[in-house]
Amino acid sequence: MTTSTSSSSTRVPAWLWLSVVVLVTINLRPFLTAPGPLGHTIQQATGMDLRSFSWLTLLPMALMGIGGWLAPSALLRLGALTSICGSLLLIALGCALRMVPAGTATGSLLIATAGLCGAGVALVQGTMPGLIKRQSPHNVALMMGLYSAALMGGGALGAQISPLAMQWGLGWQPSLAIWAIPVLLALPLAWRALSLMHAKTPAMSATPHAPAASSGSDNSTGWLFRRRRTWLLLLSFGLMNGGYGSTVAWLAPFYQTHGWTATQSGSLLAILSIAQAASALAMPALAGRNVDRRLWMVLALLMQVIGFAGLALWPDAMPTLNAILLGMGLGGCFSLFMLVALDHLPSPTQAGALSSLMQGGGFILAALAPLIMAQLHELSGSWTSGWLYQATVAALVLVLVTRFNPKHYARVLAA
């Protein structure tokens, strides 16, 4: 792997940068996937209904979206060191606050901790892709695959370890709070690597080949709001990621209604997350042979359509195989979207800003999906309508991604 920094920045060793990408990113999902398998216990302890419980996914995803829009400005003003290390502290605080006295463990407090974690994740997700393009310009596809795989791998850890911890007698609150520990362990390494870079992004070298629409300034990114392509990326990413949010929130509770235990349903969610991680790593590498990523995106979305239809129509037929198929579709599609957003622009600053805008609006849109599924469950009395809704959304995104022709990137983003 080639590690590249500007001539005015201290070189970050390749092994250190690789470690930071993995160890920081792996901490961005356990807080989100851990509550699902413990849902029945949490609802009994806090009195939360399905719609209230959906806020444990809805709020952090919405904050990830808002933070994604703020990330470019925060990076310019605070620098990568403060942005990312400060965000890690927020995640650790949010997880740790879940370890509160049992008598005060209300649903509102639990939702507030999810919000703290989501706010922390937002800035990391908004800044890391641009940093990856800057630090590893010759290995963007590989590094984005690794980033996405670590993201999904963290989700697998949360889904598997938290229910096991509760089964071993740790209690549901400590089983959620333990995820503060790996965040704090990753913090010193992140501090070391980022301190080797310039504290503020503008001081880093910028690729001078920005499109004409940038008004000649590599740091000018406001024009991206005026491009239809930005909104198409945002819409497609948001609709697709809603499937992930719904799966994280409701897959384990869904199978618990079929008689599965918390540990069994958590294991199924972990299997799905592992399949996500494997696909998130493999698909960008396979798609890296051709700048046109659409074939692989269509394949990933077809897997999602089949997977969600399987949950709706044949949930007990082959649940593990179906989870693997769905996970491969969700993970591969996520990493390909991250790569496609960076493909649109040669400038790391502007490509990172486009990725942040896509993630920002996309996560806000995706945050609604778990609530929509809860509402559909309340209206119909079953989860079938919700899973069919997600299958339909995946089919719609499949149509939208056919427009991502790399030959037209310069034209659609030009003034």
Side-chain angles (χ1 to χ4, degrees), residues 119-413:
V121 169
L123 282 183
V124 180
Q125 286 187 166
T127 57
M128 191 62 79
L131 290 177
I132 286 173
K133 182 156 185 169
R134 187 182 303 280
Q135 292 295 121
S136 308
H138 306 297
N139 297 281
V140 175
L142 175 62
M143 289 299 293
M144 286 309 300
L146 189 65
Y147 166 84
S148 301
L151 203 65
M152 308 305 174
L157 291 174
Q160 183 67 77
I161 293 177
S162 285
L164 282 175
M166 191 176 72
Q167 180 179 315
W168 296 333
L170 198 58
W172 70 266
Q173 293 170 260
S175 298
L176 296 179
I178 55 174
W179 297 108
I181 298 172
V183 179
L184 294 175
L185 292 176
L187 187 59
L189 197 65
W191 181 275
R192 173 60 180 163
L194 295 169
S195 66
L196 291 176
M197 306 176 192
H198 282 301
K200 293 186 181 294
T201 299
M204 296 182 184
S205 67
T207 304
H209 309 295
S214 67
S215 302
S217 171
D218 187 69
N219 293 328
S220 172
T221 57
W223 59 274
L224 289 169
F225 283 103
R226 302 190 295 274
R227 297 297 179 268
R228 292 182 180 179
R229 178 49 54 90
T230 302
W231 296 98
L232 179 61
L233 283 165
L234 184 158
L235 176 65
S236 303
F237 180 80
L239 291 173
M240 180 279 301
N241 233 22
Y244 172 75
S246 295
T247 304
V248 165
W250 302 126
L251 182 68
F254 169 64
Y255 273 102
Q256 286 174 21
T257 65
H258 286 239
W260 293 39
T261 66
T263 303
Q264 289 171 332
S265 60
S267 295
L268 186 67
L269 184 55
I271 289 170
L272 182 142
S273 298
I274 291 169
Q276 282 181 299
S279 182
L281 185 60
M283 281 202 180
L286 295 170
R289 301 173 184 176
N290 191 329
V291 71
D292 192 341
R293 328 284 188 183
R294 288 177 293 175
L295 176 62
W296 294 99
M297 296 183 87
V298 167
L299 176 62
L301 286 158
L302 279 174
M303 291 180 181
Q304 291 182 46
V305 172
I306 296 170
F308 283 125
L311 288 175
L313 304 176
W314 312 283
D316 299 314
M318 292 179 289
T320 301
L321 181 60
N322 192 66
I324 292 172
L325 185 67
L326 181 57
M328 290 177 64
L330 288 167
C333 203
F334 179 89
S335 60
L336 289 171
F337 262 105
M338 301 297 290
L339 184 57
V340 164
L342 295 179
D343 286 342
H344 274 74
L345 291 160
S347 159
T349 299
Q350 296 187 337
L354 180 60
S355 175
S356 294
L357 294 175
M358 177 190 76
Q359 292 183 75
F363 277 116
I364 292 173
L365 183 60
L368 298 175
L371 184 60
I372 290 173
M373 279 200 60
Q375 189 64 43
L376 288 172
H377 180 276
E378 185 174 300
L379 292 173
S380 65
S382 77
W383 293 105
T384 301
S385 56
W387 298 128
L388 288 176
Y389 162 76
Q390 293 298 346
T392 303
V393 169
L396 172 61
V397 178
L398 189 154
V399 175
L400 294 177
V401 301
T402 60
R403 299 183 61 183
F404 296 148
N405 187 339
K407 294 179 180 178
H408 300 155
Y409 287 171
R411 177 179 59 81
V412 297
L413 288 175

